[in-house]
Amino acid sequence: MNLEKFISMNSSHEIVIVQGLGFVGSVMSLVCANAIKGDYAVIGVDLPTDRGKQIIDDLNNGIFPLVAEDPKIDQFYQNTISKGNFFATFDEKAYSYADVIVVDVDLDVDKKNDSLGTLYDFNVDLVSFKKAIKTIGEHCKENILILIETTVPPGSCQEIVKPIIYGCLEKRNLSTEQIRIGHSYERVMPGPGYIDSIQNFYRVYSGIDEKSADAVESFLHTIIRTDEYPLTRLENTNATEMAKVLENSYRAMNIAFMVEWSRFAEEAGVDLYEVVDAIRLRPTHANLMYPGIGVGGYCLTKDALLASWSRQNLIGQNESLSQSEKAIDINDQMPRFTYEFLQKHCPNLKDSKILLLGVSYRGDVGDTRCSPVEMLFNYLVETGSMVSCHDPYVKYWDEQSLNIDQDLSTHLNQSLDIIILSTGHSIYKQDKTVDKIYNLEPLLIFDTIGHFSNKQINMLKNKHTVKVLGRGDI
Amino acid sequence: MNLEKFISMNSSHEIVIVQGLGFVGSVMSLVCANAIKGDYAVIGVDLPTDRGKQIIDDLNNGIFPLVAEDPKIDQFYQNTISKGNFFATFDEKAYSYADVIVVDVDLDVDKKNDSLGTLYDFNVDLVSFKKAIKTIGEHCKENILILIETTVPPGSCQEIVKPIIYGCLEKRNLSTEQIRIGHSYERVMPGPGYIDSIQNFYRVYSGIDEKSADAVESFLHTIIRTDEYPLTRLENTNATEMAKVLENSYRAMNIAFMVEWSRFAEEAGVDLYEVVDAIRLRPTHANLMYPGIGVGGYCLTKDALLASWSRQNLIGQNESLSQSEKAIDINDQMPRFTYEFLQKHCPNLKDSKILLLGVSYRGDVGDTRCSPVEMLFNYLVETGSMVSCHDPYVKYWDEQSLNIDQDLSTHLNQSLDIIILSTGHSIYKQDKTVDKIYNLEPLLIFDTIGHFSNKQINMLKNKHTVKVLGRGDI
């Protein structure tokens, strides 16, 4: 199969291109290829990097590049294979066939953290995003919809995307009258509800003008169950771009709040879980979070910075979003606090044999991007601890260039001093796992995320020392 | 009526004393005197200050000292009058008759804000709280329950109340064995559900030891509908004290978050209300707040500081709760931002005739403590604007020593340039009020809290200039 052949085989279909085949784009491709109302042929385009080529090869050869617990992913993927309406390529020519282009490329923040985790500087890197948009402008037809899903600094559609696309079209002597540019952010939640978090969830959208907003609306109706989850149109692209980073800044701030209070609770001998449960009875406080090892993933660790950067650079005010920036800073230090907590309860960390249960940033997902476990791991290794890692979803830990033995029994059969529960994978709180841990020689068990149940903790405490972050001396 | 006579008339009843007859204590007295299960005689005790004497006089002469919209207040108060089971006094001897003493005195924070509202220092003033506790210890029987409801820095029951009470009893050659000391914080919400916010709401409680916690539990069962709103016992008094200040810090932080983002929204021409409504569809984000003129009242403006102070002074760590402190600082500056917003849209503020609708900090309540309207008022007066104020619940604005004409028509009949809607009293959004405003000569209407409906705004905009804080150019 090549691009031309795919196009000719799907000549009766509208062509949707998804630009960027990462954790959002690859699944978005499946959702478009299994559209509720439209009957699209979908082309996934990524860059010809090693990683991009691997993903493209995999996708065209029946291997879906993401490992996650959602059975719908395989079902949707197999469906596209049998329908023959999904193709992946790095050939830029693909853009010239598109009727709709969905942009799901990354837009990164370069964060400068010192060795304590303190965030002392950051910069928003627009180079690759601008390049991606320019590539579209250099190839696309003049009458298509370009839908930005990437999380961008507020102001980007108006100040960056529109000028680039218009500029390219004008250079190619094409009209800009029929081009539609819109923004609608995804709320993808990797895990068991991966597909549903796109197809069955509320969407907010906008366009750079009314016709663009109309075009976005029409398209979203074909891929999302808008009867159950009505769309919300906002007034302009600044508004939807802001909504996305506000959502994630809010969440990051809620976590940061708990980071500080969990340390206070430790100091005061208070079980913060008990406190949170008591407070959550109030409807206004129902989304108070539990303390934990820290925040990870691609979004919550940076989106507040995109917003603050935008306020200072795109919107043009010389003021930051200080509280939201502060939240990122506090969260970035949490793995260090976790380490210090461990140090306090285990003075001879240097020679300890430690097993980390989980390296991804989120339970039941194999996504290690910005995982807080990484910083804890680094501290332990630097201290001289002998650290082994298990994760049922991660065979190779990219950021650490580390192969991970996925057989939990092997890990639990070695001699150990400390077990650190660092990611909330379901398997770890299965009774058979807890029983296995119980049967080990007495050791220190450190639950950094409150994953074990009270019953399991009480059982384990009969033999082992158990500490839970934020729970004082339970 | 005097104290001895009241005691002798109520000799068959258990005596509950409520110490401190402010916004919480006065209503708590009513709840105790109308107990669900117990049959208490209640003595309200306050200090012989001018204000204290006035409240005591009023209470003993059939005048309830608070104005609020809750019909239950009058109903409960009349009931105590006909039962003759409620008496107010500043006579310290009263404590010697008590079986239960509920402490509802103030515990203040001295905040140092500069002229921009920036919080540059603060101190927790324990003097009067300690004195109140000492007065109890000097008079109380040795077998009573002392229940602290005052919001205190975490650690206070253990580090302050217990040593003072034990010390006093020992000095009086009394045993400390039967004294019970506990903590259970109120969640009083002044307004239409004033009584219900005590009697029909969840409670968290603890004791300095198990017997104390048991005693608190027994007492709370008699005054609160615990069948519908079960009690939650926490492990120690640090935990409940922390829960209270955490609740309010969390709320203050949520507001501060919106303060920063509402300014960003203004700058970016975004209607933040629209954004918040779109985001609130997510259950995890349902309690996102709307922007507004700022935060007021006795609790949200200081409780985070109590917590941070406690962390540094009572619990003994040399670290603040930086994010929670920052929230107070940001919120304290909000009235200035509101003023600056007004300045931007009305360059000749100096000679403007301005009507402020509402001076209390909260809708449908006459509580002006720490009202954000005060700072806005001061800025306007300093600028040279001619400011008049209306508030249906405030006849005399204590903090400004200002009589308030409560006839809205008089205010609206004068010549005006600007109307600022500053407190969310229901009367202001009644159609008859909006119609009256519509009929004025064209002016600038500034809704600082998003109180008017969209329909009302659209109507008003036909004739007037309307601005809403955080809504860009609606």
Side-chain angles (χ1 to χ4, degrees):
Chain A
M1 178 74 71
N2 64 28
L3 180 60
E4 282 68 27
K5 194 168 170 205
F6 178 78
I7 295 293
S8 73
M9 280 173 63
N10 286 280
S11 57
S12 62
H13 298 283
E14 276 193 88
I15 304 287
V16 173
I17 285 193
V18 176
Q19 183 187 42
L21 294 172
F23 284 86
V24 175
S26 59
V27 182
M28 184 66 182
S29 303
L30 293 184
V31 170
C32 293
N34 291 273
I36 290 165
K37 286 178 191 150
D39 190 7
Y40 301 121
V42 176
I43 305 174
V45 183
D46 213 320
L47 296 173
T49 57
D50 286 351
R51 193 170 159 276
K53 281 180 178 164
Q54 184 66 54
I55 289 174
I56 289 165
D57 265 6
D58 282 354
L59 277 171
N60 289 337
N61 288 299
I63 303 164
F64 196 75
L66 295 184
V67 183
E69 282 301 87
D70 186 0
K72 279 194 183 174
I73 286 186
D74 192 52
Q75 183 191 319
F76 274 43
Y77 183 48
Q78 294 307 328
N79 200 34
T80 64
I81 291 173
S82 62
K83 278 166 66 181
N85 71 337
F86 181 37
F87 180 69
T89 181
F90 52 81
D91 187 346
E92 294 178 358
K93 215 186 323 144
Y95 296 115
S96 63
Y97 300 111
D99 299 294
V100 175
I101 298 176
V102 181
V103 177
D104 281 325
V105 300
D106 283 351
L107 195 159
D108 288 332
V109 176
D110 292 328
K111 288 165 67 176
K112 314 280 185 206
N113 296 85
D114 68 15
S115 63
L116 297 176
T118 312
L119 179 74
Y120 63 89
D121 196 14
F122 71 92
N123 188 40
V124 172
D125 178 9
L126 284 169
V127 176
S128 61
F129 178 75
K130 283 181 176 171
K131 206 173 152 195
I133 300 301
K134 190 157 168 266
T135 310
I136 293 175
E138 287 167 348
H139 295 88
C140 70
K141 296 188 280 188
E142 64 185 354
N143 60 345
I144 68 162
L145 166 64
I146 301 171
L147 175 59
I148 311 293
E149 285 202 323
T150 298
T151 305
V152 294
S156 294
C157 280
Q158 280 293 345
E159 307 295 331
I160 296 169
V161 178
K162 183 181 162 184
I164 292 177
I165 295 292
Y166 275 39
C168 288
L169 290 179
E170 280 157 13
K171 221 172 177 173
R172 291 165 60 205
N173 290 318
L174 296 175
S175 155
T176 57
E177 258 181 41
Q178 294 180 72
I179 200 84
R180 308 286 172 251
I181 300 174
H183 181 257
S184 176
Y185 57 95
E186 40 75 23
R187 284 154 160 168
V188 164
M189 194 54 87
Y194 218 139
I195 294 274
D196 280 343
S197 68
I198 297 180
Q199 201 180 53
N200 289 312
F201 206 55
Y202 301 103
R203 272 276 182 152
V204 181
Y205 72 98
S206 64
I208 58 164
D209 47 41
E210 205 172 334
K211 284 180 181 163
S212 290
D214 291 344
V216 175
E217 184 179 335
S218 302
F219 175 66
L220 292 178
H221 277 309
T222 65
I223 61 164
I224 293 170
R225 283 200 201 287
T226 52
D227 47 345
E228 275 180 64
Y229 298 91
L231 300 172
T232 306
R233 182 188 292 209
L234 298 188
E235 213 180 338
N236 53 45
T237 49
N238 282 6
T240 54
E241 290 163 344
M242 188 179 287
K244 168 70 183 219
V245 288
L246 191 155
E247 280 188 20
N248 283 340
S249 300
Y250 181 68
R251 229 170 149 70
M253 184 201 57
N254 275 294
I255 294 168
F257 179 79
M258 265 314 154
V259 166
E260 288 204 333
W261 284 81
S262 70
R263 297 177 63 220
F264 185 26
E266 289 289 348
E267 293 153 12
V270 166
D271 178 351
L272 195 57
Y273 283 78
E274 196 187 62
V275 170
V276 168
D277 287 341
I279 295 178
R280 276 186 173 173
L281 291 177
R282 296 189 76 168
T284 48
H285 291 65
N287 66 359
L288 210 59
M289 307 187 81
Y290 292 110
I293 186 177
V295 62
Y298 185 66
C299 301
L300 297 196
T301 52
K302 72 157 182 28
D303 285 1
L305 302 178
L306 287 181
S308 195
W309 182 88
S310 156
R311 189 173 183 205
Q312 292 165 91
N313 294 278
L314 281 189
I315 304 300
Q317 300 289 327
N318 197 16
E319 204 166 348
S320 68
L321 290 163
S322 67
Q323 204 195 24
S324 301
E325 267 194 32
K326 178 89 191 160
I328 303 290
D329 177 34
I330 292 173
N331 292 339
D332 283 353
Q333 295 177 64
M334 188 63 206
R336 171 171 60 90
F337 301 142
T338 308
Y339 169 74
E340 287 171 357
F341 178 95
L342 191 60
Q343 248 181 341
K344 195 177 119 194
H345 293 285
C346 182
N348 60 335
L349 268 185
K350 190 180 176 319
D351 300 312
S352 295
K353 282 164 287 198
I354 301 177
L355 171 61
L356 278 179
L357 293 180
V359 301
S360 83
Y361 86 91
R362 192 180 144 81
D364 294 337
V365 178
D367 186 350
T368 55
R369 291 177 303 168
C370 310
S371 173
V373 185
E374 191 179 344
M375 194 166 163
L376 177 61
F377 176 85
N378 287 338
Y379 276 123
L380 293 171
V381 169
E382 277 164 32
T383 307
S385 314
M386 284 151 284
V387 191
S388 58
C389 301
H390 174 264
D391 196 301
Y393 298 94
V394 182
K395 278 183 195 159
Y396 180 73
W397 189 359
D398 242 341
E399 290 80 359
Q400 294 285 342
S401 310
L402 201 72
N403 285 308
I404 290 183
D405 182 347
Q406 300 199 285
D407 181 23
L408 183 57
S409 305
T410 311
H411 287 283
L412 293 177
N413 280 338
Q414 63 185 322
S415 144
L416 288 169
D417 301 305
I418 303 172
I419 290 181
I420 302 178
L421 188 45
S422 36
T423 308
H425 297 314
S426 310
I427 182 180
Y428 298 141
K429 65 174 167 191
Q430 284 172 9
D431 283 337
K432 65 176 186 193
T433 308
V434 181
D435 285 345
K436 261 187 207 161
I437 293 174
Y438 179 81
N439 287 325
L440 300 175
E441 291 300 302
L443 42 69
L444 173 63
I445 299 167
F446 179 25
D447 182 351
T448 65
I449 44 172
H451 197 49
F452 289 133
S453 69
N454 280 341
K455 201 179 144 199
Q456 289 171 334
I457 288 171
N458 289 332
M459 193 261 273
L460 290 169
K461 279 178 76 174
N462 286 331
K463 185 169 168 188
H464 307 283
T465 305
V466 183
K467 295 284 169 193
V468 183
L469 205 64
R471 297 200 63 175
D473 286 319
I474 48 161
Chain B
M1 179 75 73
N2 63 27
L3 180 61
E4 281 69 29
K5 193 166 169 208
F6 178 79
I7 295 295
S8 74
M9 281 173 61
N10 287 279
S11 57
S12 62
H13 299 282
E14 277 192 87
I15 305 285
V16 174
I17 286 193
V18 176
Q19 184 188 41
L21 294 171
F23 285 86
V24 175
S26 58
V27 182
M28 183 66 180
S29 302
L30 294 185
V31 171
C32 292
N34 291 274
I36 291 164
K37 287 178 192 150
D39 190 7
Y40 301 121
V42 176
I43 306 173
V45 184
D46 213 318
L47 296 174
T49 58
D50 286 350
R51 195 171 157 275
K53 281 179 179 167
Q54 184 65 54
I55 290 174
I56 289 164
D57 265 5
D58 283 353
L59 277 172
N60 289 337
N61 288 298
I63 303 163
F64 196 74
L66 295 183
V67 182
E69 282 301 86
D70 187 359
K72 278 194 183 175
I73 286 185
D74 191 52
Q75 183 189 319
F76 274 44
Y77 182 48
Q78 295 307 330
N79 200 33
T80 64
I81 291 174
S82 62
K83 278 165 68 181
N85 71 335
F86 180 38
F87 181 70
T89 181
F90 53 79
D91 187 347
E92 296 179 356
K93 214 187 322 144
Y95 296 116
S96 63
Y97 299 110
D99 299 294
V100 175
I101 298 176
V102 180
V103 177
D104 281 325
V105 300
D106 283 352
L107 195 159
D108 288 333
V109 176
D110 292 329
K111 289 164 68 175
K112 314 280 186 207
N113 296 85
D114 67 16
S115 63
L116 298 176
T118 312
L119 179 76
Y120 63 89
D121 196 14
F122 71 93
N123 189 39
V124 172
D125 177 8
L126 284 169
V127 175
S128 61
F129 178 77
K130 282 181 177 170
K131 206 175 152 195
I133 300 300
K134 190 158 166 266
T135 309
I136 294 174
E138 287 167 348
H139 296 89
C140 71
K141 296 187 283 189
E142 65 184 354
N143 59 344
I144 68 161
L145 166 65
I146 300 169
L147 175 58
I148 311 294
E149 283 201 323
T150 297
T151 304
V152 294
S156 294
C157 281
Q158 279 293 345
E159 307 296 331
I160 296 169
V161 179
K162 183 180 163 185
I164 291 177
I165 295 292
Y166 275 39
C168 288
L169 291 178
E170 279 157 13
K171 221 171 176 177
R172 293 165 59 206
N173 289 318
L174 296 174
S175 155
T176 57
E177 257 181 41
Q178 293 179 72
I179 199 84
R180 308 285 173 250
I181 300 173
H183 181 258
S184 176
Y185 57 96
E186 40 75 24
R187 284 156 161 165
V188 164
M189 193 55 86
Y194 218 139
I195 294 273
D196 280 342
S197 69
I198 297 179
Q199 199 180 53
N200 289 311
F201 207 57
Y202 301 104
R203 272 277 182 151
V204 181
Y205 72 98
S206 64
I208 58 164
D209 47 42
E210 205 172 334
K211 283 179 182 164
S212 290
D214 291 344
V216 176
E217 184 180 334
S218 302
F219 175 66
L220 292 178
H221 277 308
T222 65
I223 61 162
I224 293 171
R225 285 203 199 287
T226 53
D227 46 344
E228 275 180 63
Y229 299 91
L231 301 172
T232 307
R233 182 187 293 210
L234 299 188
E235 214 180 340
N236 53 46
T237 50
N238 282 5
T240 55
E241 291 163 342
M242 188 178 289
K244 168 71 183 217
V245 288
L246 192 155
E247 281 189 18
N248 283 341
S249 301
Y250 180 68
R251 227 168 152 70
M253 184 200 58
N254 274 295
I255 294 168
F257 179 78
M258 264 314 153
V259 167
E260 288 204 332
W261 283 80
S262 69
R263 297 177 65 218
F264 185 27
E266 289 290 347
E267 293 153 11
V270 166
D271 178 351
L272 196 57
Y273 283 79
E274 195 188 62
V275 170
V276 167
D277 287 341
I279 294 177
R280 275 186 172 175
L281 292 176
R282 296 189 75 169
T284 48
H285 292 64
N287 67 359
L288 208 59
M289 308 186 82
Y290 293 111
I293 185 177
V295 63
Y298 186 67
C299 302
L300 298 195
T301 52
K302 70 157 184 27
D303 285 2
L305 302 177
L306 287 180
S308 195
W309 182 88
S310 156
R311 189 172 184 204
Q312 292 164 92
N313 294 278
L314 280 188
I315 303 302
Q317 300 290 327
N318 197 15
E319 204 166 347
S320 68
L321 290 163
S322 66
Q323 206 197 22
S324 301
E325 267 194 33
K326 176 91 191 157
I328 303 290
D329 178 33
I330 292 173
N331 292 338
D332 283 353
Q333 294 178 65
M334 189 61 205
R336 172 171 59 90
F337 300 142
T338 307
Y339 170 73
E340 288 171 355
F341 179 94
L342 190 60
Q343 248 181 340
K344 197 176 116 193
H345 293 286
C346 181
N348 60 334
L349 268 183
K350 190 178 175 322
D351 299 312
S352 296
K353 283 163 287 201
I354 301 177
L355 171 61
L356 278 178
L357 293 181
V359 302
S360 83
Y361 85 90
R362 194 179 143 80
D364 294 336
V365 178
D367 187 349
T368 54
R369 292 177 301 168
C370 311
S371 172
V373 185
E374 192 180 344
M375 194 166 164
L376 177 61
F377 175 84
N378 288 338
Y379 276 123
L380 292 172
V381 169
E382 278 164 34
T383 306
S385 316
M386 284 149 283
V387 191
S388 58
C389 301
H390 174 264
D391 196 302
Y393 299 94
V394 182
K395 278 184 196 158
Y396 181 73
W397 190 359
D398 242 342
E399 292 79 0
Q400 294 286 341
S401 309
L402 201 71
N403 285 308
I404 290 183
D405 181 347
Q406 299 200 286
D407 181 22
L408 184 55
S409 304
T410 311
H411 286 283
L412 292 178
N413 280 338
Q414 63 184 324
S415 144
L416 288 169
D417 302 305
I418 303 171
I419 291 181
I420 303 179
L421 187 44
S422 37
T423 308
H425 297 314
S426 310
I427 182 180
Y428 298 142
K429 65 175 168 192
Q430 284 171 9
D431 283 336
K432 63 174 187 193
T433 309
V434 181
D435 285 344
K436 262 187 210 164
I437 293 174
Y438 179 80
N439 287 326
L440 300 176
E441 290 301 300
L443 42 67
L444 172 63
I445 299 167
F446 179 24
D447 182 351
T448 66
I449 45 174
H451 198 48
F452 289 133
S453 68
N454 281 340
K455 200 177 144 201
Q456 290 171 332
I457 288 171
N458 288 333
M459 194 260 276
L460 291 170
K461 278 178 76 175
N462 287 329
K463 184 167 167 188
H464 307 283
T465 306
V466 184
K467 295 284 169 190
V468 183
L469 206 64
R471 296 200 67 175
D473 287 318
I474 46 162

